[in-house]
Amino acid sequence: MAVYTENFTINTRGFTDIIDITQKVKSAVYNHNIKNGNVVVALAGSTASITTIEYEPGLLKDLPDVLDDVVPMDKQYHHDDTWHDGNGYAHVRAAIFGSSVSVPLIDGALLLGTWQQIVLIDFDNKPRSRHIYVQIIT
Ligand code: ZN
C-alpha cells in the first residue's frame, strides 16, 4: 500500500459559497499516473463541507434555498448562546454534509458521473481560506 497526499487552498466568500474543485482534485490525482486506488478529498473544519453535486445554475440556487428552509440562518442556536460567533447554522449544515468524500480511482479515472462535480461548500458567516487535502491510497 502507498499513500500520497496533496493539498491546495481555496478562498471562499462564506455564506454557503459552493465552489467546484473537481479540476483541482483531478490534477492532484492524475499527476501521479496511478491506475487504481481510492481518493479521499477532505478538509479540517466544522463549518464547511465537501460533497458532490451537478454544478449548474439551478442547483446552485436550489441547494441554498432548501438549506434556508431546513437549517435557517436566523434561527436561535444553542451554539451561538455559548460562543456568540453567530454561525450555529453553519456548524449544523456542515455536520449534515460531512467534511470529506471518497471517490474510487478505476483504470486511471475518478468514478464521477458526467454531471457530478466535487464541491467545497463554505457555510461560515465570513470569508475563509480553506485547505483541501487529496489523499490517494493505492
Ligand atoms: Zn461556531
Side-chain angles (χ1 to χ4, degrees):
M1 191 183 88
V3 178
Y4 307 91
T5 304
E6 304 279 346
N7 70 85
F8 55 86
T9 301
I10 301 282
N11 294 317
T12 80
R13 293 170 297 167
F15 299 97
T16 310
D17 193 7
I18 307 172
I19 298 169
D20 183 0
I21 59 169
T22 310
Q23 287 310 317
K24 285 189 175 294
V25 172
K26 283 184 174 176
S27 296
V29 172
Y30 295 163
N31 281 342
H32 289 274
N33 286 315
I34 294 166
K35 291 293 176 211
N36 294 286
N38 191 59
V39 175
V40 177
V41 185
L43 60 79
S46 61
T47 54
S49 294
I50 306 286
T51 187
T52 70
I53 196 168
E54 180 178 340
Y55 198 85
E56 60 85 20
L59 282 168
L60 295 181
K61 293 191 186 109
D62 291 330
L63 186 61
D65 282 355
V66 169
L67 287 170
D68 285 343
D69 291 338
V70 178
V71 189
M73 290 180 66
D74 57 1
K75 181 182 174 296
Q76 185 68 30
Y77 291 90
H78 299 293
H79 173 77
D80 298 328
D81 294 340
T82 306
W83 297 101
H84 307 290
D85 56 0
N87 67 356
Y89 77 95
H91 290 283
V92 173
R93 291 181 183 190
I96 290 170
F97 288 93
S99 61
S100 69
V101 292
S102 173
V103 184
L105 178 65
I106 301 171
D107 295 331
L110 288 168
L111 184 68
L112 291 170
T114 304
W115 309 112
Q116 181 184 18
Q117 281 77 45
I118 301 169
V119 292
L120 159 67
I121 310 179
D122 199 326
F123 300 110
D124 213 345
N125 58 356
K126 59 189 173 190
R128 297 287 303 261
S129 185
R130 300 292 188 178
H131 306 295
I132 311 298
Y133 285 81
V134 179
Q135 192 159 66
I136 309 155
I137 301 131
T138 65

